[in-house]
Amino acid sequence: MTRTISFNLNGAPVKADAAHETRLVDLLRNNFGLTGIKEGCGEGECGACMILLNGFPALSCIMAAGAVEGQQVTTIEGLRSSPGFDILAQAFNDAGAVQCGYCTPGMIVIAYALLRDDPAPDEQTIRSAMAGNLCRCTGYAMIVEAVTLAAKRRGEAW
Amino acid sequence: MAFTKNTDRADTSDKCSGATNYIGDVFFDNMLEAVTVRSPVRRGIIRNIVTPDMPKGYLTVGVDDIPNQNQVSYFRDTCPFFAPGKVSYIGEPVLLVAGPDPATVRKLAKTIHIDCDPIQAIHSLDEALKGDKPPLYGNDNVYIDETFAYGDVDGAFSKAAEVFETETRTGYQEHMYMETQCVVAVPNGDRLEIHASTQGPHALRKVVADALGWDHERVRVVQYPLGGAFGGKIELPFFLAGQAAFAALKANRPVRIVYTREEDLLTTSKRHPSRVKVRSALNSEGNIIAMDVDVVFQAGGYAMSCVMVLDTGLKKATGVYHFPSARVRGRAMATNNPMPGAYRGFGAPQTFFAIETHMNALARRHRLEPLKFKSRYFISQGNSTLTGGKYHFPVALPEVMQEAVRISDYQTRRKQVKADGRIRRGIGQALFNFGAPFSLDTSSPMPPRYMGLLKHMDGTVEILSELVDMGQGLHTALRKIVAAALEMPIERIIHHDADTDCVPEASITGASMSVVLFGRILVDAAEKLKPRLHEPGEIKVQAQVRQPEHLQWDAAKGKGDPFHSYVWGAVIAEVEVDTLTWQVSTTGLWITLDVGTAIDRRIIRGQIDGGVVQGLGYALLESMREDTMTNSLSDYIIPTMLDTPAIKSTLVANPYPPGPYGAKCVGEPPLVGVAPAIADAVADACGVEVYRLPISPEYLMQQMTKSS
């Protein structure tokens, strides 16, 4: 059984037909080609599938597609054109925070939301806010440094 | 040549924006999804497979669909793509179901019933050694049994004033690359393309072609960016690519296999669980006169690369020490468990945990300052190796140790008060070396392997190599080396992900050999190209892979220099133990490494931080039951941002002359010393020795109860 879901995706109204059991991550990746969203675990443990739902971080692998009916969904693709993204991407580069890159879009999404709400988070705040995003390559310190650097360079970006 | 500037990686921007396409992000026209149907039992004979009628467009693929051989040709021992009439572990692939709709494929796969006559299973390495169950491999379950020794070990033990024995045990460690295994096989005329997340494109091509009975050239492997690997994408992609290939040829359509995290955890390779007994013989002055090490690995239902992993671990089992006599024996045991395999450290994390724990416990027993005690036995330049070779180059071990002591303020911290209410504090250390690359026989010619450079019309130079950037930054490091050799800006040097139609065979990417060995070969190629850079048109040069001239290795006898070069390292760890919960938290980690010349400090730091945190997980958190009940990321805990302390790392420069501009390796070493250093810190805090990994609260509580 399928039904039509209407929601706002990266600033534009969209409609999609989806089976009842479709997960949001599959809807976004398969129907809309938004493959910047990654699936790492399928159970909400790793944060690779992170999106913003009405501006707040949410995990698309443990959400039914139908749950976004009438809501606003922002993915990494939707953040690309924002000044905050440019600052974060540059800081991730400069701090050496990217290795395999599979966790990176999720890391950027959560960091984006963090810096919007907290202009100058200290290290412990960053670590607490991002503890739900797993990375197996970097050991995290360079990611924390990247977010700290982005906060310093934030200007009027958020 | 000074590599003082950090280089921006070419892949960072797309990885940040999500524009990087991993193989799982690519959709091919008419592609079928395949799901693996697996053995429900540990051990048995397959009596019957009950398959429902397949809807139109859906198919099953099994042993009978393999055109040539049901064997991954990369391995010495039996390693089938599909269970060969019998099963040897829970989760062993029996067949595939493939079709256009993934949800339907999964439902169909669940309805297939595999009927087995059970055989008594071998659950652990202890059961495999005991041998009271029907043997799984040969008549003794031993995949490999080898010994390296020098001096009169038995004589030393017979006249010893004291014999000290320890037994350490470690469990599975899962790679937990964030991108699960994925491969797509695409028929293309009379050829087949494999689009893969693999550490060895050419090796994968051979495996698939051999299984099909085809000339290797008919298979093309296209490499995609890897979402992490750590050794876990050498062996498993062979199986997936073969299986997908059989399905793609049967259906004449592209077929994709993408593992769920559950499948990946249950059935892919992991670090070998181990039991290591270390015995030292001491004379009446308290000096070690012999060291005897007995290593046993639990090696699962099929051998895969356990022969190489064990062999490499054994050659490192006497640690950073040269004893008057030593013997190292190792066995890898067949059991009815998932197949372990290559994982960052490749046998060394187990053997270094054993030797360092032994040496630290021995120092404590004799009430000696551990670093001073251990330094009596330090390897120095010119010493012989366990295998009768030689440490040819300067050994920076004392410098590395002193530097780690300095940056951690180790001596002051050691004197700190241990008990503080319910919290106990401790500080520990471990010393290690890491030999890499492993040597190939030097008495016979190496198979011809090449690294190439291609100057394009526009003057840019492309590196033609199959070496894989799995996130570690290898392509940037190689580009930097070539840029230095050609005296060109690095922006003009390119390294694409490999396509076996376009780049020559060199090697799988692993064993920490890419920069130190193949980087040097690229310098050779650059020296050929440099005088011709001004010539118009395309110019292609190749340099043959060769081992350094100092090397002597007799593979048949296991005699000579086992490794080209050695990284030297020291780790200091500080912990807090909560005596109410027996939870251990790491409050500080310091590491000093001699990696020769540092090619890019930012990339090296990334390798150090990442390796250290994997080592921290191995020491404290990562626990996997051998009965395959650990099947999710909520059961298998890896470190998060909140579990990792500040890591301070420094480098000691000790250039290795045969390496490119003096570089050695950095990929694997940072992981190796962390677990023994943390174990030593816990022992220091609690006053009991720690012989298990991970150091779980349950284990620590047991040890404390035993001692009181």
Side-chain angles (χ1 to χ4, degrees), chain B residues 206-522:
Chain B
K206 280 187 188 171
V207 165
V208 172
D210 290 343
L212 300 176
W214 288 9
D215 290 339
H216 295 160
E217 288 70 28
R218 280 177 69 191
V219 176
R220 173 187 180 193
V221 173
V222 182
Q223 172 67 49
Y224 284 69
L226 271 73
F230 317 113
K233 288 173 181 167
I234 300 172
E235 294 151 303
L236 258 291
F238 294 148
F239 295 86
L240 274 81
Q243 293 157 357
F246 310 143
L249 292 179
K250 187 171 182 181
N252 196 27
R253 286 170 69 164
V255 171
R256 172 166 87 167
I257 302 176
V258 52
Y259 275 9
T260 62
R261 180 58 67 186
E262 180 181 2
E263 277 181 296
D264 206 292
L265 263 161
L266 287 179
T267 68
T268 68
S269 61
K270 299 149 209 330
R271 191 181 309 293
H272 292 81
S274 73
R275 184 205 77 184
V276 184
K277 288 184 178 171
V278 182
R279 286 195 314 144
S280 49
L282 290 86
N283 64 13
S284 52
E285 282 90 56
N287 285 319
I288 298 171
I289 51 174
M291 188 61 74
D292 192 11
V293 183
D294 180 32
V295 181
V296 184
F297 278 6
Q298 190 267 89
Y302 297 99
M304 283 209 304
S305 52
C306 77
V307 173
M308 285 172 68
V309 178
L310 180 78
D311 179 79
T312 310
L314 296 181
K315 290 167 182 165
K316 298 173 180 175
T318 46
V320 293
Y321 312 109
H322 182 77
F323 301 110
S325 65
R327 176 170 59 211
V328 176
R329 181 193 183 190
R331 284 165 288 175
M333 307 301 295
T335 66
N336 294 107
N337 287 310
M339 303 175 293
Y343 185 178
R344 192 180 206 171
F346 213 68
Q350 295 96 320
T351 52
F352 267 99
F353 176 60
I355 190 70
E356 282 303 279
T357 298
H358 181 91
M359 294 296 279
N360 290 339
L362 186 55
R364 244 186 303 275
R365 183 181 159 95
H366 286 228
R367 300 182 191 287
L368 295 169
E369 204 292 311
L371 291 172
K372 210 165 158 189
F373 168 67
K374 295 200 284 193
S375 65
R376 288 186 207 165
Y377 307 100
F378 275 3
I379 290 164
S380 55
Q381 187 178 10
N383 274 161
S384 58
T385 68
L386 177 65
T387 52
K390 201 168 128 184
Y391 290 94
H392 293 271
F393 298 99
V395 172
L397 185 55
E399 294 85 341
V400 161
M401 180 185 75
Q402 283 152 19
E403 169 70 358
V405 163
R406 186 188 69 79
I407 60 172
S408 62
D409 205 4
Y410 173 76
Q411 299 300 358
T412 313
R413 285 175 199 270
R414 258 179 76 82
K415 292 181 196 115
Q416 276 174 358
V417 181
K418 304 262 182 262
D420 182 6
R422 71 187 239 199
I423 302 296
R424 293 187 71 84
R425 291 206 175 81
I427 187 139
Q429 45 64 40
L431 306 172
F432 61 97
N433 63 6
F434 199 87
F438 53 82
S439 306
L440 301 177
D441 194 89
T442 47
S443 60
S444 50
M446 275 177 70
R449 299 282 182 266
Y450 298 93
M451 302 290 287
L453 291 174
L454 172 64
K455 183 188 83 77
H456 289 285
M457 300 283 277
D458 65 1
T460 57
V461 173
E462 183 179 344
I463 297 173
L464 301 177
S465 97
E466 66 159 323
L467 298 176
V468 175
D469 198 315
M470 53 194 115
Q472 84 283 46
L474 177 62
H475 286 181
T476 310
L478 294 179
R479 286 168 58 223
K480 210 163 170 173
I481 289 165
V482 170
L486 292 176
E487 295 181 77
M488 279 173 63
I490 188 163
E491 294 73 24
R492 307 278 288 161
I493 315 292
I494 306 159
H495 195 325
H496 296 300
D497 290 324
D499 176 338
T500 56
D501 277 5
C502 306
V503 297
E505 177 175 4
S507 165
I508 59 131
T509 301
S512 298
M513 62 184 160
S514 297
V515 164
V516 57
L517 177 59
F518 299 110
R520 175 59 199 231
I521 306 306
L522 279 173

Side-chain angles (χ1 to χ4, degrees), chain A residues 38-60:
Chain A
K38 309 297 179 196
E39 179 173 349
C41 69
E43 56 163 344
E45 282 286 336
C46 80
C49 68
M50 195 163 270
I51 56 150
L52 298 179
L53 183 63
N54 302 324
F56 294 99
L59 297 167
S60 61

